[in-house]
Amino acid sequence: MSGTLLDGHDVVLFDLDGTVFRGGELVPGALEAVREVHRRGVQVRYVTNNASKPDQAVVDHLAGLGLTAKRAEVSTSAQAGAAVLAEKLPAGSRVLVVGSAALLSEVDRVGLVPVSDFADDPVAVVQGLSTDIAYRDLAEACLAIRAGALWVACNGDRTLPTERGLVPGNGSLVELLRAATDQEPLVAGKPERPLLDRAVDSAGGRSPLMVGDRLDTDIAGAVNAGMPSLMVLTGVNTPADLLAADPAMRPDHVAADLRGLLQDPAEVAVAAQTGWQARVEDGVLELTRSEDGADAVAALRALCAVWWATSSGPVEVRAADEPARAALRELGLA
């Protein structure tokens, strides 16, 4: 196999939930695509904003889904948060941990001392998600931050996808402390750079590619880090979200799923597409099919290329013919 998006990249950074799997199931095409990345000798890093689980738990979950992974291939926002603290604090410094046992373990691993009370005189607070967080934990963190402690948030994800739907994520609790302290945290996870930089460095990468489903974390993180990206339509963000994305959250490539990695880069690039014509007229984005066999995701790439080049924000999309109407319905744009 040659002429694929993988060519020219020495490490692929995969988001997990919504990109590789959804809960307890692999997304379509994930097994095939990840195995091909390994077969080609391209490094893999699984980069997750989830700070509640240790890297071994991620490895075990992937193994249960049929994907072989090593701990060294997993980069979590808990690891990134602990690394940020270690860069800024002397060894042995006390850090108030709001989060899971996994986050506490990462803080300990970098030579810092985890504590849970303001009375322990912490010089920093690190915050990650745990379903066991209580009011007391947030109150202790609030007191420490207001007293001048360095505040590091593992990530700012306001929601967390579950099999039951979206529930509050770490970012929602970060907002609570922001309101209570009038302070801003340093953020280690996507879309900020520490997590992605750490993952690339651990692989010795020089030409990384970020792959994800969320515009505000995965794709914005890639833009911040100056690396190309592939957005897949298997997770949180929709074609309508993609069209309306501002420049800081626009991917270079778009595919239905991870099998886009195995396509020619020109086929998945956000650019003019064979089989579709898109144009803006009187502020409306119009789609026409010019060739049989063109698929809906190709239409989406063509629409994005034209709209992003001329305008921004939400857009009305109309079809000039029945094949275009069918494509827009498939994309949820009609």
Side-chain angles (χ1 to χ4, degrees):
M1 185 181 296
S2 63
T4 71
L5 183 56
L6 286 175
D7 296 343
H9 297 292
D10 55 8
V11 56
V12 179
L13 310 182
F14 287 104
D15 171 59
L16 285 173
D17 207 345
T19 300
V20 175
F21 56 71
R22 287 190 294 256
E25 296 181 349
L26 287 175
V27 301
L31 188 63
E32 171 190 351
V34 175
R35 283 180 174 175
E36 180 63 17
V37 176
H38 282 298
R39 190 190 72 78
R40 285 170 168 255
V42 177
Q43 291 286 314
V44 166
R45 289 295 181 269
Y46 297 104
V47 290
T48 175
N49 267 0
N50 189 333
S52 65
K53 295 179 180 179
D55 50 14
Q56 186 61 52
V58 175
V59 169
D60 293 343
H61 184 64
L62 289 169
L65 298 175
L67 282 174
T68 301
K70 303 172 184 176
R71 288 181 63 184
E73 293 177 324
V74 177
S75 293
T76 72
S77 67
Q79 294 170 340
V84 169
L85 289 168
E87 290 172 358
K88 296 183 175 298
L89 301 173
S93 297
R94 296 181 181 186
V95 177
L96 196 155
V97 178
V98 179
S100 67
L103 178 55
L104 187 150
S105 177
E106 294 297 342
V107 170
D108 179 70
R109 186 178 299 177
V110 298
L112 302 173
V113 179
V115 300
S116 58
D117 297 311
F118 173 55
D120 291 322
D121 296 323
V123 296
V125 171
V126 63
Q127 183 178 6
L129 187 64
S130 167
T131 56
D132 295 326
I133 289 174
Y135 177 83
R136 177 195 175 280
D137 303 307
L138 296 167
E140 296 299 299
C142 176
L143 292 169
I145 295 166
R146 293 186 71 89
L150 172 68
W151 180 21
V152 174
C154 290
N155 66 79
D157 296 9
R158 295 186 180 182
T159 59
L160 177 70
T162 72
E163 294 175 359
R164 298 172 59 198
L166 294 176
V167 298
N170 190 56
S172 294
L173 299 181
V174 168
E175 287 294 329
L176 186 153
L177 282 182
R178 183 182 280 118
T181 63
D182 294 320
Q183 299 297 312
E184 291 290 331
L186 297 176
V187 179
K190 301 171 289 185
E192 304 306 323
R193 293 192 58 159
L195 174 57
L196 298 184
D197 287 345
R198 184 179 185 277
V200 173
D201 289 346
S202 74
R206 293 181 178 273
S207 301
L209 175 69
M210 179 68 214
V211 185
D213 67 298
R214 292 187 72 138
L215 295 168
D216 61 344
T217 55
D218 306 320
I219 306 306
V223 173
N224 281 340
M227 67 178 70
S229 61
L230 167 69
M231 178 185 174
V232 291
L233 301 174
T234 49
V236 171
N237 283 126
T238 66
D241 297 330
L242 181 62
L243 266 175
D246 67 41
M249 296 189 291
R250 292 176 179 172
D252 302 283
H253 304 86
V254 177
D257 55 48
L258 290 179
R259 284 171 288 200
L261 287 168
L262 312 182
Q263 294 180 247
D264 187 292
E267 293 179 356
V268 292
V270 177
Q273 299 284 306
T274 300
W276 296 105
Q277 291 182 347
R279 64 174 184 168
V280 177
E281 187 171 338
D282 297 327
V284 176
L285 188 55
E286 184 176 84
L287 179 70
T288 305
R289 190 173 77 171
S290 59
E291 186 177 306
D292 291 345
D295 66 33
V297 181
L300 177 61
R301 298 183 200 109
L303 290 167
C304 287
V306 170
W307 183 245
W308 293 352
T310 60
S311 308
S312 62
V315 57
E316 178 186 348
V317 186
R318 69 185 176 205
D321 52 38
E322 183 52 41
R325 275 189 285 275
L328 294 182
R329 285 193 296 269
E330 184 177 339
L331 293 168
L333 295 173

